[in-house]
Amino acid sequence: MGITINKKPELDIDGSRWVEIAKGAKILVGSIASPMYKSHQALIKRHLAAIDQQTQVGTKAFNLADIPNAEFEADDDLFIDLAARHLILDWEGVDVAEKPGVPAKYSPELCVQLIRQMPQVYFIAVQTGLDVAVRAEEKAKETAGKHLPRTAGAASGRARQTKKSVGSMSA
């Protein structure tokens, strides 16, 4: 019995892709494998874990009355801000109510407002960022257009009879 080591999918850390979020509006999404996205995501997770540990979340000792009167950031807010700063890189076809029809310059702050108005933008960005990272769609398209390589043997079908050479006959 042996061990087989599979090659992990190659991650695209610098790639990006435009995705339509509404008619006439699209966002440019980067890879979730980018170092800044990954490191900031890890920081957020550690921050939330520290809060859980302080308040004893997940243990029998957890008691709502024991939680200090302090406001903790919601994880939704942190992950939305992360996407707006490091996953969504630009947009086209987005404007603001104060200047309708005038394209708004991309900023993380405006992007957070867009995500709050259209929460599906966050989920589209995360899914696209994952696709960019593993380049799943591009690989599938590349593979779909290629023919399988020919094998060393002849085409499949009924086998031909082989002839025995004269020297191989035994008497």
Side-chain angles (χ1 to χ4, degrees):
M1 181 164 154
I3 297 174
T4 303
I5 299 174
N6 291 325
K7 184 178 177 184
K8 289 173 63 173
E10 184 180 328
L11 295 181
D12 184 356
I13 62 171
D14 297 318
S16 60
R17 183 178 308 149
W18 284 99
V19 181
E20 189 172 65
I21 56 171
K23 186 173 175 137
K26 56 187 179 177
I27 56 174
L28 179 63
V29 180
S31 172
I32 63 166
S34 76
M36 290 303 289
Y37 181 84
K38 287 172 63 173
S39 66
H40 286 190
Q41 182 185 45
L43 287 171
I44 289 170
K45 288 180 178 180
R46 286 198 303 267
H47 172 73
L48 295 172
I51 292 171
D52 288 349
Q53 186 177 15
Q54 288 173 7
T55 57
Q56 299 179 348
V57 170
T59 68
K60 290 182 180 183
F62 176 75
N63 185 349
L64 195 56
D66 294 338
I67 297 174
N69 287 335
E71 284 189 39
F72 295 113
E73 294 169 300
D75 58 349
D76 292 351
D77 296 338
L78 295 169
F79 287 114
I80 287 170
D81 194 48
L82 175 66
R85 293 189 185 283
H86 299 294
L87 198 55
I88 301 173
L89 308 173
D90 200 1
W91 60 30
E92 290 180 0
V94 177
D95 57 29
V96 292
E98 293 81 26
K99 297 180 182 178
V102 177
K105 186 175 188 228
Y106 179 83
S107 74
E109 295 77 22
L110 282 178
C111 187
V112 167
Q113 290 180 26
L114 174 67
I115 292 172
R116 294 208 185 291
Q117 182 177 325
M118 297 176 62
Q120 68 269 27
V121 171
Y122 173 80
F123 297 106
I124 291 168
V126 170
Q127 182 60 52
T128 303
L130 178 62
D131 287 346
V132 168
V134 295
R135 298 182 304 149
E137 289 182 27
E138 290 94 346
K139 284 185 178 181
K141 287 177 185 175
E142 288 173 14
T143 304
K146 293 182 181 175
H147 296 289
L148 292 174
R150 291 187 60 93
T151 60
S156 305
R158 184 176 170 173
R160 295 186 199 150
Q161 282 188 333
T162 57
K163 296 181 184 177
K164 291 186 179 181
S165 64
V166 178
S168 67
M169 296 175 91
S170 56

